[in-house]
């Protein structure tokens, strides 16, 4: 039971990341509305402990078991419970001590804790798009069965979600997912082949974790988001359009059956969709900088260059075909991105690894959850062999 129902108790899975730290800024500015119940990190135990000492959660989880004693010692003067390991991450998600999970772990590792939260009926503010890419049908079905709201944090999906408020009986003609185009907008393959990680990590508009920043540079991020949108809003593939909008002011749009288009706008600042997801259905005041039409007065739009950024073609294939193909694509992409970040492969190789893995792993039309996990493992092994990791 929540002793104080006016305070929403938040469990942040992935609290040391870009989304997690920004969520804690939002919570710190609204301590009359939110408390922190659970914080988790993978290996950054120093930051996890710093956060725990500041926010005094009920429990913390450090994924890397080797760091357990460091965390335990740093928090020895408190009554914060300390757990370690992947299994603990899942188990803690299943403890009924919070009101909302912020799913902000990156990649496949976010899936199981989120399923646990849904399993015990906890609303999820979902940043971890990979969860829906891997097993969107199962995740959303379980959410419906347990009457659990899944509130998007991803800025595009938050925009669509906001545009749909008050439109429950109105059909969507299509959604227009905007894309900044990333740091290599307008570049061609002969340039991209020589791009180094430092260059790819410089995003023009958003400051994010390393994996999503690379995904933004390859446009795989937009591919993942197309699949995320399909599951969140129950869309057919042909209802999802990607449009490059380099200023990142319009975060996405919904076109209804009468041709009317709604857009959600604002400066590119993840704190806004994070705050909205935490406080939904309420909006709460803040001091974030406001968008000024006089300052950024030209908004431009263009088609994505799918001949150069072939990940969008691969993701469209995964979106259309469904089954285990999106999960295979996601797994290969995770392997490829981390190999690129470690300077093991070049920028364009990432797409080749994904494509070859998608061709190789047997297609399953209606996978069970176990089959999704197996496909993920097979795809990872195949991709790692290709790269000779
Ligand atoms: P970061 O890399 O900045 O943070 C990831 C978080 O997950 C960290 O707390 C990290 O812990 C933890 N983590 C990493 N690997 C594991 C693992 N194997 N097991 C458990 N925990 C793990 O990522 P972001 O915050 O950028 O992104 C998080 C998610 O949100 C991603 O799915 C991303 O696509 C999505 N998203 C992010 C946006 C952004 O602006 N950053 C925008 C929209 C969506 P540690 O620090 O210890 O490594
Ligand atoms: Mg996004």
């Amino acid at each position: 039971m929540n002793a104080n129902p006016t305070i929403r108790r938040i469990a942040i899975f992935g609290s040391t990341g870009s989304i997690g730290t920004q969520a804690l800024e939002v919570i710190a500015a609204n301590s009359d509305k939110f408390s922190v119940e659970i914080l988790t990190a993978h290996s950054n135990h120093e930051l996890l402990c710093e956060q725990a000492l500041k926010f005094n959660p009920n429990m913390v989880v450090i994924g890397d078991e080797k760091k357990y004693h460091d965390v335990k010692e740093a928090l020895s003067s408190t009554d914060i419970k300390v757990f370690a390991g992947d299994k603990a991450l899942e188990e803690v998600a299943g403890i009924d001590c919070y009101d909302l999970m912020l799913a902000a772990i990156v990649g496949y590792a976010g899936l199981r804790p989120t399923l646990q939260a849904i399993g015990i009926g906890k609303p999820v503010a979902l940043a971890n798009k990979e969860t829906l890419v891997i097993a969107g049908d199962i995740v959303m079905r379980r959410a419906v069965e347990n009457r659990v709201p899944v509130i998007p944090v991803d800025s595009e999906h938050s925009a669509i979600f906001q545009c749909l408020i008050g439109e429950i009986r109105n059909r969507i003609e299509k959604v227009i997912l905007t894309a900044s185009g990333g740091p290599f907008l307008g570049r061609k393959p002969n340039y991209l082949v020589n791009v180094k990680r430092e260059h790819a990590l410089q995003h023009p508009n958003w400051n994010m974790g390393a994996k999503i920043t690379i995904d933004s540079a390859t446009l795989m991020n937009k591919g993942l988001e197309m699949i995320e949108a399909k599951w969140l809003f129950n869309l057919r593939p042909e209802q999802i359009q990607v449009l490059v909008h380099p200023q990142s002011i319009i975060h996405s749009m919904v076109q209804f059956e009468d041709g009317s288009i709604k857009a959600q706008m604002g400066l590119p600042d993840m704190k806004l969709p994070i705050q909205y997801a935490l406080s939904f259905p309420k909006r709460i005041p803040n001091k974030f900088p406001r968008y000024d039409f006089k300052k950024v007065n030209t908004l431009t739009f263009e088609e994505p260059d799918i001949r150069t950024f072939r990940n969008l073609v691969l993701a469209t294939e995964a979106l259309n075909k469904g089954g285990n193909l999106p999960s295979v694509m996601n797994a290969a992409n995770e392997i490829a991105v981390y190999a690129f970040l470690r300077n093991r492969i070049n920028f364009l190789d990432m797409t080749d690894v994904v494509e070859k893995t998608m061709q190789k792993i047997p297609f399953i039309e209606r996978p069970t959850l176990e089959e999704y996990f197996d496909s993920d493992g097979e795809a990872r092994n195949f991709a790692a062999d290709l790269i000779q990791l």
Side-chain angles (χ1 to χ4, degrees), residues 330-340 345 353 379-380 383-384 387 389:
N330 177 70
N333 182 58
E334 287 191 25
I335 295 291
V337 169
Y338 289 111
F340 174 73
I345 56 174
V353 169
R380 268 167 214 275
I387 305 169
L389 283 179

Side-chain angles (χ1 to χ4, degrees), residues 129 154-156 221-222 225:
K129 63 192 83 183
D154 211 350
S155 57
E156 296 76 2
N221 183 49
K222 213 46 57 180
E225 289 182 354

Side-chain angles (χ1 to χ4, degrees), residues 129 153-157 178 206 208 212 216 221-222 225 228 251 270:
K129 63 192 83 183
V153 171
D154 211 350
S155 57
E156 296 76 2
H157 306 74
T178 50
W206 300 96
M208 309 176 286
I212 184 176
S216 300
N221 183 49
K222 213 46 57 180
E225 289 182 354
E228 182 185 13
H251 297 309
M270 280 309 295

Side-chain angles (χ1 to χ4, degrees), residues 130-374:
E130 294 90 344
T131 286
L132 291 182
V133 175
I134 298 165
D137 55 342
I138 292 179
V139 173
M140 292 312 284
R141 193 169 62 239
R142 289 195 183 174
V144 170
E145 281 164 9
N146 290 298
R147 296 167 188 258
V148 165
V150 177
I151 307 151
V153 171
D154 211 350
S155 57
E156 296 76 2
H157 306 74
S158 175
I160 294 167
F161 186 77
Q162 294 181 54
C163 291
L164 288 175
I165 286 171
E167 303 284 359
I168 195 143
R169 291 185 208 292
N170 294 323
R171 285 218 204 145
I172 299 171
E173 199 162 85
K174 67 174 178 182
V175 301
I176 303 164
L177 279 182
T178 50
S180 70
F184 305 130
L185 179 60
R187 300 294 190 180
K188 296 292 170 200
N190 59 354
Y191 176 91
L192 294 175
V193 73
N194 294 316
V195 152
K196 294 283 171 273
R197 78 189 278 279
E198 289 65 32
H199 197 175
L201 283 170
Q202 304 294 321
H203 195 280
N205 302 347
W206 300 96
N207 186 5
M208 309 176 286
K211 195 247 172 192
I212 184 176
T213 306
I214 301 302
D215 284 344
S216 300
T218 63
L219 291 205
M220 180 53 94
N221 183 49
K222 213 46 57 180
L224 299 174
E225 289 182 354
M226 287 162 67
I227 299 167
E228 182 185 13
K230 165 181 163 167
W231 294 119
L232 279 171
F233 306 113
N234 200 14
L235 299 170
R236 296 186 307 280
E238 62 274 17
Q239 289 177 295
I240 305 167
Q241 182 192 343
V242 170
L243 189 63
V244 173
H245 164 46
Q247 298 80 21
S248 296
I249 297 296
I250 295 184
H251 297 309
S252 277
M253 301 178 253
V254 178
Q255 181 171 314
F256 294 92
E257 278 190 318
D258 59 355
S260 181
I261 299 174
K262 275 187 174 180
Q264 187 266 339
M265 305 170 72
L267 288 174
D269 178 353
M270 280 309 295
K271 285 207 284 300
L272 189 49
I274 291 170
Q275 174 180 297
Y276 186 72
L278 296 184
S279 68
F280 176 78
K282 283 195 189 146
R283 292 187 184 273
I284 52 182
N286 60 42
K287 299 214 173 349
F288 306 158
R290 267 44 177 167
Y291 170 54
D292 180 347
F293 278 87
K294 295 189 286 303
K295 284 196 185 136
V296 183
N297 58 11
T298 309
L299 302 183
T300 61
F301 306 93
E302 56 191 273
E303 285 287 323
D305 173 3
I306 59 171
R307 289 166 72 100
T308 303
F309 296 95
R310 289 191 307 115
N311 275 347
L312 269 186
V313 179
L314 298 178
T316 303
E317 187 194 339
L319 172 75
N320 287 331
K321 212 164 163 196
N324 64 340
L325 200 56
S327 75
V328 167
M329 178 187 80
N330 177 70
N333 182 58
E334 287 191 25
I335 295 291
V337 169
Y338 289 111
F340 174 73
L341 283 169
R342 300 210 311 263
N343 298 315
R344 297 293 299 272
I345 56 174
N346 80 35
F347 190 84
L348 296 177
D349 290 338
M350 286 190 274
T351 303
D352 292 342
V353 169
V354 174
E355 185 174 31
K356 287 191 177 126
T357 311
M358 287 170 72
Q359 285 163 354
K360 182 71 188 177
I361 303 301
F363 180 67
I364 308 174
E365 199 171 345
R366 288 182 193 283
T368 61
L369 190 56
E370 280 314 313
E371 285 170 329
Y372 278 126
F373 293 148
D374 292 346

Side-chain angles (χ1 to χ4, degrees), residues 13-60:
F13 280 67
S15 65
T16 49
S18 159
I19 294 288
T21 51
Q22 293 181 85
L24 285 171
E25 284 180 48
V26 168
I27 291 173
N30 295 282
S31 54
D32 57 331
K33 297 183 180 66
F34 306 113
S35 69
V36 176
E37 287 303 312
I38 301 174
L39 293 173
T40 86
H42 180 56
S43 57
N44 191 347
H45 62 103
E46 281 113 348
L47 182 55
L48 179 69
C49 293
E50 199 182 295
Q51 293 176 338
L53 291 170
K54 180 165 177 201
F55 289 92
N56 194 27
N58 187 350
M59 43 190 99
V60 298

